[in-house]
Amino acid sequence: MQWLRQLFTRDKPQIPEPLWQDCLERLPFLDRLDAGERQRLKLLCEDLLARKTFTGAAGFELTDEVAVLIAAQAALPVLNLTLDLYDDMAGIIVYPSAFVIPQSEMDEAGVVHEWHEPASGEAVHAGGAVVLSWEDAQESNAPGYNVVIHEFAHKLDMARGAANGCPPFLAAFHREIVPAGWRQAFSAAYQDFVRRVDALEARLPEDYDDDRPDDAALYDELFGELPLDPYAARHPAEFFAVASEAFFVLPQPLAEDYPEIYRLLALYYRQDPLR
Ligand SMILES: [Zn+2]
């Protein structure tokens, strides 16, 4: 944290070049950026690190390296927008591994069920923090998976209220997006994706257990055909966040299966990762 501490006392904070190069190497999906874009990304990171508090939780020691890696992935979605979109964010909290979130849901009979669910990340609405598990943030086994981009996409979605999969469109950037067209396209793609996930789930054995190697292999084989992590079927807001991860990290399958979603995300983020 030596360098981060210095950062706040300097007028013009700068990420040391070796640290920045190391960060670029560890995030191969940034390779597509040209030199000018990388430079702008670095400036955005420095701005984000200066504006927001990064905190380690549950004994996690937050190093400069971790802070820069998170900042770079948080800045990528707003590279051609504005960092002001994260104004409504208290800070970034990093746990060493999955943390537990209390959940509650009312069923059809009006009974409220409460339980605890382990989470890899959480974006707290109404000015709250982005909370991340560092173990999950480094996960590279699942193609297209990126918990940092996922949670910051939720933050963009929440800029005017609860996340619903339709972030606010800004006059300065999003004139080409027709909100009704966005809602229609995302709703159709979401429903299609839910149907696909349901159909795949029906092919799993009734006593499916992901701790059994055979079952896990079958799951990977079936769900590996999907362009997005099946978690996207959970809610329209999750569909937007998971599609945003894929858009930046593994865009090809998304563009093939849901070209209209890819096109709209390219208009929204004002980036075209497949260009
Ligand atoms: Zn989510």
Side-chain angles (χ1 to χ4, degrees), residues 120-123 147 150-151 154 158 163 231 234-235 237-239 241-242 245:
S120 56
E122 186 188 21
V147 66
H150 181 104
E151 299 307 332
H154 278 320
M158 289 168 178
Y231 190 72
R234 209 163 174 182
H235 186 276
E238 297 304 341
F239 186 82
V242 174
E245 289 174 70

Side-chain angles (χ1 to χ4, degrees), residues 21-33:
Q21 288 306 323
D22 180 59
C23 166
L24 291 178
E25 263 167 44
R26 290 180 59 175
L27 302 173
F29 51 89
L30 298 178
D31 286 353
R32 67 175 173 86
L33 301 179

Side-chain angles (χ1 to χ4, degrees), residues 27 62 84 124 152 161:
L27 302 173
L62 195 86
D84 296 350
V124 182
F152 280 85

